[in-house]
Structure formats: C-alpha cells, structure tokens
Amino acid sequence: VTVQFLMERLMDMGCSPPPGFISCIDCGDKQAGAGFGVVEETIMSSASESAAEEYREEAKERKMRQCSNKTTLEDLQEQIKAQNEGKARLRLLPEIFLCQQHLVNEEHAHQSMVHELIHAIDLCRTKMDPINNCIHMACTEIRAENLSGECGAVREAINGRIKNFKGHGAECVKRRAALSVQANPNCTGKARDYVDAAFERCFRDTFPFDRHPNLR
C-alpha cells in the first residue's frame, strides 16, 4: 500500500515515472538491496576538441557499463573528477533498481522500494543535487532510512544491533545514512558530520506522509 501511495504522490507532483523507472537486476558483488539514480554526463563545450573527444570515449565506455549494470565506484570517481576539471556536468536522473540476489523476502523488497521512492520524491520536490551537495545527500538518506521501516526494532534486534531501545531508531537512521553518504566520493571524509548537520530537520520531515508511516 505504501509503495502505491508514494507512486501516486510522485505523479500528483508532476513527476510521472519514465519508462524503465523500476527494474530488477543482477547487482553482482554490490552489497545492497536496491539503489537509486543514474548519472547523466554532459560534455562541456569549453573543453578543447581533443580533450572533449577523449572524454567522450571514456563517457561512452562508462555508459555501456551502466547499461549492463557493471558501474563501479571508480566510474563515479572519474565522473566527479571530470566535472571538477570542467570537462563535464553531472546530473542525477530518477531510476530505481532492485538487487534480485540480495532481497531476502517480500518485506525487504517493500522497504527497499519505499526507501528509493523517497529519494524520487525528494528529487521531484526540490533541486536536490546529492552528487555535489553532501547535505542534500545526507538529508534524503535520513528521510529514506527513517520512513522506509529499515530501522524497525524487529529487524535491528534480529541483526543483533540493539543495545538500548531508547533512541535506537534515530541512531540506526544515522548509522545507515552515514554509510550511504560515505559511498559518495565527494562526501567520504565527513559523512557522519553531514548526517549530524542535517539530522534534526530531515528526521522530522515525513513528507509526503502526514505523519510517520509506523504511527498510522
């Protein structure tokens, strides 16, 4: 029900999902249940013709890996480097992928879908730039972890992570959000600092729900 609600809200906001918005793929060794976003590279005209051609070939190879679900962290690092050098401009496009070999049951799949749909909602309602703005990324990760149910007490207890029930939900959200932010090469060194800076405001933000889904 929550997935249907979020899809409807996304369309109500004027962000109808594009074809292929959600796919189930083989994620290889990536230890994740799901993921969000495809990085679009636009080659800048300010680059010299020879440099632009070289970069165009590199971008083409990355695009081929992206299409075959073989994108690596090194690819993202190269994209960010190219942007910093003025060779390209990066933009995150909405797309959700579910990792078929890492989803353990229906509940896990549902929570993963909700998590990624919260990112889609955030990308639709704001000028979010999670590639380049680490506070933006921290905020959307905090909201996704909080509203998806991935930090539920039962799941955390099964995984042996609960030492103190009081305040554990918030600590779980911080821990998981920081791991996601840390995966962005622009944010790696201060991931927990970015999460702490964004936490109070973003943890309270339950949009598009009137209140936290677990309290309904």
Side-chain angles (χ1 to χ4, degrees):
V1 175
T2 306
V3 169
Q4 181 180 345
F5 171 81
L6 290 173
M7 289 291 286
E8 290 172 351
R9 294 292 79 76
L10 198 57
M11 289 186 281
D12 289 344
M13 294 165 65
C15 293
S16 296
F21 176 56
I22 300 174
S23 58
C24 190
I25 65 173
D26 181 346
C27 294
D29 295 331
K30 292 180 181 178
Q31 295 301 309
F36 177 81
V38 173
V39 179
E40 178 189 66
E41 299 180 64
T42 301
I43 298 174
M44 304 301 290
S45 58
S46 57
S48 67
E49 186 55 38
S50 59
E53 183 59 33
E54 181 181 357
Y55 181 74
R56 194 174 289 111
E57 288 301 314
E58 294 172 356
K60 183 178 179 180
E61 291 177 5
R62 280 193 291 272
K63 181 65 175 177
M64 291 175 63
R65 286 194 292 273
Q66 193 175 75
C67 291
S68 59
N69 304 315
K70 294 180 180 178
T71 302
T72 66
L73 176 61
E74 288 73 22
D75 285 331
L76 180 57
Q77 290 172 332
E78 286 299 317
Q79 289 171 323
I80 290 174
K81 179 183 176 183
Q83 179 172 257
N84 292 340
E85 292 175 351
K87 295 179 181 178
R89 183 176 67 249
L90 305 181
R91 183 166 69 108
L92 192 68
L93 301 179
E95 183 174 312
I96 292 172
F97 60 86
L98 303 175
C99 296
Q100 60 191 28
Q101 68 269 58
H102 300 314
L103 295 174
V104 297
N105 53 35
E106 185 177 346
E107 180 183 22
H108 188 197
H110 181 269
Q111 290 175 345
S112 297
M113 282 278 289
V114 172
H115 181 119
E116 308 309 336
L117 282 168
I118 292 297
H119 291 326
I121 292 282
D122 287 346
L123 191 63
C124 177
R125 73 166 173 157
T126 68
K127 293 182 179 180
M128 182 177 76
D129 183 12
I131 297 175
N132 300 299
N133 189 313
C134 299
I135 292 294
H136 287 187
M137 183 171 187
C139 187
T140 192
E141 290 297 343
I142 289 166
R143 281 176 29 78
E145 298 291 355
N146 183 36
L147 299 175
S148 64
E150 291 170 306
C151 279
V154 174
R155 178 172 175 172
E156 285 291 281
I158 290 173
N159 291 329
R161 292 197 177 99
I162 294 184
K163 296 180 180 179
N164 186 349
F165 276 95
K166 185 177 180 180
H168 178 79
E171 281 305 312
C172 171
V173 169
K174 285 185 177 182
R175 183 190 77 241
R176 291 174 61 93
L179 288 173
S180 294
V181 174
Q182 187 175 328
N184 182 341
N186 277 332
C187 314
T188 300
K190 296 183 178 180
R192 184 60 187 244
D193 291 342
Y194 293 123
V195 170
D196 287 341
F199 190 78
E200 185 175 351
R201 175 176 61 86
C202 301
F203 189 68
R204 291 198 311 264
D205 183 1
T206 61
F207 183 86
F209 304 103
D210 292 332
R211 52 189 172 181
H212 196 289
N214 289 352
L215 300 179
R216 287 181 296 170

